[in-house]
Every structure is written in C-alpha cells, then in structure tokens.
Amino acid sequence: ARAGFSQAQHIGAALQVWWGANYYCDTLPPDMAWVVWDKERIESYPTYLKACGFNSVQVMELITYDASAKVWHGGYRGGLPKGKSIPDVQNALYTLADAAHAQGMTVSQYIWGSPADGCKWADPKTRPAREEFYRELARRYGAKVDHIITHWVDEGHEGGFETPLSATMFMWNEYKKQNPDVKVTCDSWFNAGIYAGIGDETHASRDVGIAIERWYDAARAKQIMAAGRKVGIWGWYLSDFEMTYGSHLYTKTLNTYFSALPDKAGEEVDWISSELCFHALPSRVNLYVVGRKMWEPRAALADVMLDYCRAMYGPANARILRTAYETVEEGQAEVRYGMVQDDRYPVVLGTLEFREKAQQALKALQAVRLPPKWQPNFTVVSSPQQDIDAIRTSLAEFINHPVK
C-alpha cells in the first residue's frame, strides 16, 4: 500500500510499532511483551497493518526502561523477560519480518547507534567494540530487513554529524553484506547538528537519507533534498505516548496533523513512520486513522472512524462504538507533556456536562451485540469484545469521577 494526496503524489507509509518489547517493564502487563507471544499472534500484526494501508513495518530489537526506578536496564539489550534470551527476541522478530514480507510489505530496523555501552565511535580505544556490535547486529538481522534507520541522541548522546553519518555508513556497509539492496536513513531526532554535515559526502554518501524529527518541516525537507538525499519523517509522540502505559486515543491529533500537510509533501517525502508502543488495546484504532490519512489526508475523521467501527464491530454497532470512542478520547487522562504539550486536549473530566455525555455513551453500549462467532474484517491481536469491555470500563470510571 502507498499513501498520498493524489494519484500522482505518494508518501511511503512505514509504521513504527516499537517492537522494543518489555519497554516499561514494571507497568506493562506480562502479555504486552511480544517476545512471549506465540507465532500465530505475531504473524497477525502485519495482516492488520496491511489492511490499515501500511506498506512497511519498522522494528527494534530490545530496550527496557524501569519506569519506577527511572533507569535503563542493562542498556540496549537489558531487562529481558524472565526465561527469555536475545535469540528468543531474534526469533520473534524473524517471525514478524517473514510475516510482513509475506504480505508484500518491507521491513525497516530502527537502531540505537549510540547505546549506553561505555563506547564512543570517536574514541579509538572503544571504537573496535562498537564496530563489532554493529557487525553483530548486521549478521543477526541483515538478511531480514530492507531498510535501516539509525538513531543517535538518547542513551549515548553521540550527536552532531561526524559520528552519526560516518557510523551509519559503517553499519550500512555491514548490512549490505547480508542484503546488497538494503536502504539507509540517519535520524535527526533531537540532533539538529546533523544538518551541518549533510551537504557533501565527507562522512556519508548521498545514499544515506535523513529523517526529519517527528513531523513534516518544509525548510528541513528542502535542505535535505538540496543535499541530494531522500527525505524521511521519523514520527513519534503522534499515535501513542511511550512514557505512560495505556490505551491512548489520539485520532483527533492525527487528524489535525495530516489534514494540515501541504500537497507538496507527497512529492518530497520518501517515507513517514508512526508508532504504537502498547499493544492489544483499543488504541490500535490510531493505526487505522494513520493508514487512512496517509491515503486520504482530507477525509473526514468521523467517516474514517465510522468505517473502522463498522469493520471491527459490525454495521449495527458502528455508530454506537464511534460515539463511545469519541467520548473516551475526550475524557481520557492527558499524559502528554514536553515537546507535545501543545497537543494536549482540554480537561473535561469532572464536569457535569461530560459526566452526562459519558452516561449516554455507556447506556448506548448496552445495545451492542456482536453476532455469534463474529469475525471482524481485520486480523487483530485482541478481540473486539475486549475493546468494548475496555471502553465500557473507561466510561464507568469517567462517570464515577468526582464532579467539580
């Protein structure tokens, strides 16, 4: 599938599902760690994504963060679920990659090029160990991926342009030993300094694309194209919020962003990604909205949501579920902060008007009946009934919330 703003203008839709497993290990239910999922469940994910309109899946090996202690567990590969190993993670990612390829989708691998491993690319003493780490990743995953995307400012904080670009070239050359056709992008997330080095090929050939941070920026796209490089967008904090576990419904936010894209973005941008950090929750609707908006950025959100609810819960239940989703999104706890502070929704929880709205939505759900042996038009990792139960629970909590 491709996405775009007219038949002639397309953006490649790559989905970042953040397959970083046990990411917030002390707040996630055990079932959320995809490394413990069975083969059939993992294989169902690309089927859903393809149905949403995506043409690519973006994976990551493993990062684990302890939200209570506020520490990374063992760096890039720490905090494995009990009884699991890196080969277990590898096998799960192989299953996902093979399933994506079987759907005609490509697979991108997101790599933290600067893990907190005590090594620095610019340090002659520790660089050999870093090089071996990159080689090992390429040997392990290179045959399964079509595109690598490197990331530099988080754990190890190796920003600027010399290390990100030259180390990305090294990784790309190693991955090409496994797949000569693999593509490559260097991410600019929180690293505006990279743009000072993209104008020539001193540190990286023009084959290395540059991913704009989070969302489309016309000036950055122009700068990257002027350098003869492909433009990507590594979207984040768009369709989920990694810092707090939950079913974050952001359909209105996504509608705002996509509806505002200029038509020229369809010509300029090679790929764009969006994320889902937490799985098997009603928030998977965000992915459907992203996929539809990749194709039809001007489509009315109400129509998109009705289509989703019709396909997921059946025509007879569609309007009731759409209203329920809209109500939960309006009343949910707002957890976004920092660079996405402006995306926060107004606080309505605790008002008499919203309590009445939640009561009406919950009452309407009483009429929802899934037909016997109902199968949605999507292959999903959690059932439509589980969605309905979760939405009903949210509405009940809203109703029980004290009124100001």
PDB file of all heavy atoms in Angstrom, residues 366-385:
ATOM      1  N   GLN A 366     -25.155  -0.640  25.895  1.00  0.00           N
ATOM      2  CA  GLN A 366     -25.970  -1.782  26.297  1.00  0.00           C
ATOM      3  C   GLN A 366     -26.653  -2.437  25.100  1.00  0.00           C
ATOM      4  O   GLN A 366     -27.000  -3.625  25.135  1.00  0.00           O
ATOM      5  CB  GLN A 366     -27.032  -1.334  27.308  1.00  0.00           C
ATOM      6  CG  GLN A 366     -26.452  -0.840  28.627  1.00  0.00           C
ATOM      7  CD  GLN A 366     -27.525  -0.290  29.560  1.00  0.00           C
ATOM      8  OE1 GLN A 366     -28.724  -0.328  29.257  1.00  0.00           O
ATOM      9  NE2 GLN A 366     -27.112   0.225  30.708  1.00  0.00           N
ATOM     10  N   ALA A 367     -26.822  -1.678  24.043  1.00  0.00           N
ATOM     11  CA  ALA A 367     -27.487  -2.216  22.852  1.00  0.00           C
ATOM     12  C   ALA A 367     -26.528  -2.947  21.917  1.00  0.00           C
ATOM     13  O   ALA A 367     -26.975  -3.560  20.940  1.00  0.00           O
ATOM     14  CB  ALA A 367     -28.166  -1.073  22.091  1.00  0.00           C
ATOM     15  N   VAL A 368     -25.228  -2.885  22.201  1.00  0.00           N
ATOM     16  CA  VAL A 368     -24.239  -3.505  21.321  1.00  0.00           C
ATOM     17  C   VAL A 368     -24.255  -5.014  21.501  1.00  0.00           C
ATOM     18  O   VAL A 368     -24.148  -5.522  22.624  1.00  0.00           O
ATOM     19  CB  VAL A 368     -22.829  -2.951  21.601  1.00  0.00           C
ATOM     20  CG1 VAL A 368     -21.764  -3.772  20.888  1.00  0.00           C
ATOM     21  CG2 VAL A 368     -22.757  -1.496  21.172  1.00  0.00           C
ATOM     22  N   ARG A 369     -24.409  -5.712  20.413  1.00  0.00           N
ATOM     23  CA  ARG A 369     -24.373  -7.170  20.415  1.00  0.00           C
ATOM     24  C   ARG A 369     -23.508  -7.641  19.249  1.00  0.00           C
ATOM     25  O   ARG A 369     -23.802  -7.327  18.080  1.00  0.00           O
ATOM     26  CB  ARG A 369     -25.774  -7.767  20.255  1.00  0.00           C
ATOM     27  CG  ARG A 369     -26.731  -7.457  21.384  1.00  0.00           C
ATOM     28  CD  ARG A 369     -26.360  -8.208  22.670  1.00  0.00           C
ATOM     29  NE  ARG A 369     -27.365  -8.007  23.702  1.00  0.00           N
ATOM     30  CZ  ARG A 369     -27.379  -6.964  24.537  1.00  0.00           C
ATOM     31  NH1 ARG A 369     -26.438  -6.041  24.448  1.00  0.00           N
ATOM     32  NH2 ARG A 369     -28.331  -6.852  25.437  1.00  0.00           N
ATOM     33  N   LEU A 370     -22.453  -8.351  19.554  1.00  0.00           N
ATOM     34  CA  LEU A 370     -21.652  -8.946  18.493  1.00  0.00           C
ATOM     35  C   LEU A 370     -22.310 -10.251  18.068  1.00  0.00           C
ATOM     36  O   LEU A 370     -22.673 -11.065  18.922  1.00  0.00           O
ATOM     37  CB  LEU A 370     -20.228  -9.209  18.971  1.00  0.00           C
ATOM     38  CG  LEU A 370     -19.382  -7.976  19.336  1.00  0.00           C
ATOM     39  CD1 LEU A 370     -18.007  -8.403  19.822  1.00  0.00           C
ATOM     40  CD2 LEU A 370     -19.264  -7.025  18.153  1.00  0.00           C
ATOM     41  N   PRO A 371     -22.490 -10.468  16.777  1.00  0.00           N
ATOM     42  CA  PRO A 371     -23.117 -11.715  16.316  1.00  0.00           C
ATOM     43  C   PRO A 371     -22.321 -12.931  16.774  1.00  0.00           C
ATOM     44  O   PRO A 371     -21.109 -12.842  17.003  1.00  0.00           O
ATOM     45  CB  PRO A 371     -23.077 -11.580  14.788  1.00  0.00           C
ATOM     46  CG  PRO A 371     -22.955 -10.108  14.535  1.00  0.00           C
ATOM     47  CD  PRO A 371     -22.147  -9.567  15.673  1.00  0.00           C
ATOM     48  N   PRO A 372     -22.969 -14.061  16.935  1.00  0.00           N
ATOM     49  CA  PRO A 372     -22.250 -15.287  17.302  1.00  0.00           C
ATOM     50  C   PRO A 372     -21.126 -15.563  16.304  1.00  0.00           C
ATOM     51  O   PRO A 372     -21.304 -15.414  15.098  1.00  0.00           O
ATOM     52  CB  PRO A 372     -23.337 -16.369  17.234  1.00  0.00           C
ATOM     53  CG  PRO A 372     -24.617 -15.626  17.429  1.00  0.00           C
ATOM     54  CD  PRO A 372     -24.420 -14.286  16.793  1.00  0.00           C
ATOM     55  N   LYS A 373     -19.968 -15.939  16.844  1.00  0.00           N
ATOM     56  CA  LYS A 373     -18.795 -16.241  16.023  1.00  0.00           C
ATOM     57  C   LYS A 373     -18.395 -15.062  15.131  1.00  0.00           C
ATOM     58  O   LYS A 373     -17.883 -15.242  14.025  1.00  0.00           O
ATOM     59  CB  LYS A 373     -19.035 -17.491  15.172  1.00  0.00           C
ATOM     60  CG  LYS A 373     -19.306 -18.740  15.982  1.00  0.00           C
ATOM     61  CD  LYS A 373     -19.486 -19.954  15.099  1.00  0.00           C
ATOM     62  CE  LYS A 373     -19.752 -21.206  15.937  1.00  0.00           C
ATOM     63  NZ  LYS A 373     -19.938 -22.415  15.085  1.00  0.00           N
ATOM     64  N   TRP A 374     -18.637 -13.850  15.625  1.00  0.00           N
ATOM     65  CA  TRP A 374     -18.299 -12.645  14.865  1.00  0.00           C
ATOM     66  C   TRP A 374     -16.807 -12.579  14.576  1.00  0.00           C
ATOM     67  O   TRP A 374     -15.977 -12.780  15.468  1.00  0.00           O
ATOM     68  CB  TRP A 374     -18.730 -11.400  15.629  1.00  0.00           C
ATOM     69  CG  TRP A 374     -18.160 -10.119  15.082  1.00  0.00           C
ATOM     70  CD1 TRP A 374     -17.199  -9.329  15.645  1.00  0.00           C
ATOM     71  CD2 TRP A 374     -18.514  -9.480  13.853  1.00  0.00           C
ATOM     72  NE1 TRP A 374     -16.928  -8.246  14.865  1.00  0.00           N
ATOM     73  CE2 TRP A 374     -17.722  -8.311  13.747  1.00  0.00           C
ATOM     74  CE3 TRP A 374     -19.414  -9.778  12.829  1.00  0.00           C
ATOM     75  CZ2 TRP A 374     -17.809  -7.437  12.664  1.00  0.00           C
ATOM     76  CZ3 TRP A 374     -19.503  -8.913  11.751  1.00  0.00           C
ATOM     77  CH2 TRP A 374     -18.714  -7.757  11.673  1.00  0.00           C
ATOM     78  N   GLN A 375     -16.473 -12.309  13.337  1.00  0.00           N
ATOM     79  CA  GLN A 375     -15.099 -12.106  12.924  1.00  0.00           C
ATOM     80  C   GLN A 375     -14.986 -10.730  12.287  1.00  0.00           C
ATOM     81  O   GLN A 375     -15.641 -10.452  11.288  1.00  0.00           O
ATOM     82  CB  GLN A 375     -14.663 -13.184  11.918  1.00  0.00           C
ATOM     83  CG  GLN A 375     -14.577 -14.585  12.493  1.00  0.00           C
ATOM     84  CD  GLN A 375     -13.480 -14.707  13.539  1.00  0.00           C
ATOM     85  OE1 GLN A 375     -12.426 -14.081  13.422  1.00  0.00           O
ATOM     86  NE2 GLN A 375     -13.726 -15.497  14.572  1.00  0.00           N
ATOM     87  N   PRO A 376     -14.170  -9.846  12.843  1.00  0.00           N
ATOM     88  CA  PRO A 376     -14.017  -8.522  12.239  1.00  0.00           C
ATOM     89  C   PRO A 376     -13.313  -8.616  10.889  1.00  0.00           C
ATOM     90  O   PRO A 376     -12.730  -9.653  10.546  1.00  0.00           O
ATOM     91  CB  PRO A 376     -13.157  -7.774  13.262  1.00  0.00           C
ATOM     92  CG  PRO A 376     -12.367  -8.840  13.943  1.00  0.00           C
ATOM     93  CD  PRO A 376     -13.282 -10.035  14.012  1.00  0.00           C
ATOM     94  N   ASN A 377     -13.363  -7.546  10.146  1.00  0.00           N
ATOM     95  CA  ASN A 377     -12.689  -7.501   8.849  1.00  0.00           C
ATOM     96  C   ASN A 377     -11.182  -7.340   8.989  1.00  0.00           C
ATOM     97  O   ASN A 377     -10.466  -7.338   7.984  1.00  0.00           O
ATOM     98  CB  ASN A 377     -13.236  -6.355   7.998  1.00  0.00           C
ATOM     99  CG  ASN A 377     -14.640  -6.641   7.504  1.00  0.00           C
ATOM    100  OD1 ASN A 377     -15.155  -7.742   7.674  1.00  0.00           O
ATOM    101  ND2 ASN A 377     -15.275  -5.646   6.907  1.00  0.00           N
ATOM    102  N   PHE A 378     -10.710  -7.188  10.209  1.00  0.00           N
ATOM    103  CA  PHE A 378      -9.286  -7.084  10.497  1.00  0.00           C
ATOM    104  C   PHE A 378      -8.827  -8.321  11.267  1.00  0.00           C
ATOM    105  O   PHE A 378      -9.578  -8.867  12.077  1.00  0.00           O
ATOM    106  CB  PHE A 378      -8.972  -5.861  11.366  1.00  0.00           C
ATOM    107  CG  PHE A 378      -9.357  -4.550  10.749  1.00  0.00           C
ATOM    108  CD1 PHE A 378     -10.369  -3.788  11.294  1.00  0.00           C
ATOM    109  CD2 PHE A 378      -8.689  -4.063   9.641  1.00  0.00           C
ATOM    110  CE1 PHE A 378     -10.716  -2.562  10.742  1.00  0.00           C
ATOM    111  CE2 PHE A 378      -9.029  -2.843   9.074  1.00  0.00           C
ATOM    112  CZ  PHE A 378     -10.046  -2.090   9.627  1.00  0.00           C
ATOM    113  N   THR A 379      -7.592  -8.711  11.045  1.00  0.00           N
ATOM    114  CA  THR A 379      -6.950  -9.704  11.902  1.00  0.00           C
ATOM    115  C   THR A 379      -6.271  -8.937  13.036  1.00  0.00           C
ATOM    116  O   THR A 379      -5.416  -8.090  12.792  1.00  0.00           O
ATOM    117  CB  THR A 379      -5.901 -10.515  11.118  1.00  0.00           C
ATOM    118  OG1 THR A 379      -6.545 -11.164  10.030  1.00  0.00           O
ATOM    119  CG2 THR A 379      -5.246 -11.548  12.020  1.00  0.00           C
ATOM    120  N   VAL A 380      -6.657  -9.221  14.276  1.00  0.00           N
ATOM    121  CA  VAL A 380      -6.190  -8.406  15.398  1.00  0.00           C
ATOM    122  C   VAL A 380      -5.625  -9.287  16.503  1.00  0.00           C
ATOM    123  O   VAL A 380      -5.910 -10.480  16.582  1.00  0.00           O
ATOM    124  CB  VAL A 380      -7.337  -7.537  15.961  1.00  0.00           C
ATOM    125  CG1 VAL A 380      -7.715  -6.462  14.954  1.00  0.00           C
ATOM    126  CG2 VAL A 380      -8.555  -8.383  16.304  1.00  0.00           C
ATOM    127  N   VAL A 381      -4.796  -8.663  17.361  1.00  0.00           N
ATOM    128  CA  VAL A 381      -4.147  -9.418  18.433  1.00  0.00           C
ATOM    129  C   VAL A 381      -4.971  -9.426  19.710  1.00  0.00           C
ATOM    130  O   VAL A 381      -4.598 -10.071  20.685  1.00  0.00           O
ATOM    131  CB  VAL A 381      -2.727  -8.881  18.716  1.00  0.00           C
ATOM    132  CG1 VAL A 381      -1.847  -9.036  17.488  1.00  0.00           C
ATOM    133  CG2 VAL A 381      -2.762  -7.435  19.178  1.00  0.00           C
ATOM    134  N   SER A 382      -6.055  -8.671  19.734  1.00  0.00           N
ATOM    135  CA  SER A 382      -7.019  -8.747  20.832  1.00  0.00           C
ATOM    136  C   SER A 382      -8.405  -8.637  20.220  1.00  0.00           C
ATOM    137  O   SER A 382      -8.571  -8.075  19.142  1.00  0.00           O
ATOM    138  CB  SER A 382      -6.778  -7.640  21.867  1.00  0.00           C
ATOM    139  OG  SER A 382      -6.843  -6.362  21.270  1.00  0.00           O
ATOM    140  N   SER A 383      -9.404  -9.141  20.904  1.00  0.00           N
ATOM    141  CA  SER A 383     -10.720  -9.293  20.298  1.00  0.00           C
ATOM    142  C   SER A 383     -11.543  -8.007  20.345  1.00  0.00           C
ATOM    143  O   SER A 383     -11.330  -7.144  21.210  1.00  0.00           O
ATOM    144  CB  SER A 383     -11.485 -10.393  21.015  1.00  0.00           C
ATOM    145  OG  SER A 383     -11.879  -9.949  22.308  1.00  0.00           O
ATOM    146  N   PRO A 384     -12.523  -7.862  19.446  1.00  0.00           N
ATOM    147  CA  PRO A 384     -13.444  -6.729  19.518  1.00  0.00           C
ATOM    148  C   PRO A 384     -14.157  -6.637  20.873  1.00  0.00           C
ATOM    149  O   PRO A 384     -14.393  -5.539  21.384  1.00  0.00           O
ATOM    150  CB  PRO A 384     -14.433  -7.008  18.380  1.00  0.00           C
ATOM    151  CG  PRO A 384     -13.638  -7.795  17.391  1.00  0.00           C
ATOM    152  CD  PRO A 384     -12.747  -8.663  18.228  1.00  0.00           C
ATOM    153  N   GLN A 385     -14.499  -7.790  21.455  1.00  0.00           N
ATOM    154  CA  GLN A 385     -15.161  -7.758  22.751  1.00  0.00           C
ATOM    155  C   GLN A 385     -14.248  -7.187  23.823  1.00  0.00           C
ATOM    156  O   GLN A 385     -14.710  -6.463  24.722  1.00  0.00           O
ATOM    157  CB  GLN A 385     -15.622  -9.158  23.155  1.00  0.00           C
ATOM    158  CG  GLN A 385     -16.466  -9.176  24.426  1.00  0.00           C
ATOM    159  CD  GLN A 385     -17.732  -8.359  24.288  1.00  0.00           C
ATOM    160  OE1 GLN A 385     -18.528  -8.567  23.373  1.00  0.00           O
ATOM    161  NE2 GLN A 385     -17.943  -7.399  25.199  1.00  0.00           N
TER     162      GLN A 385
END
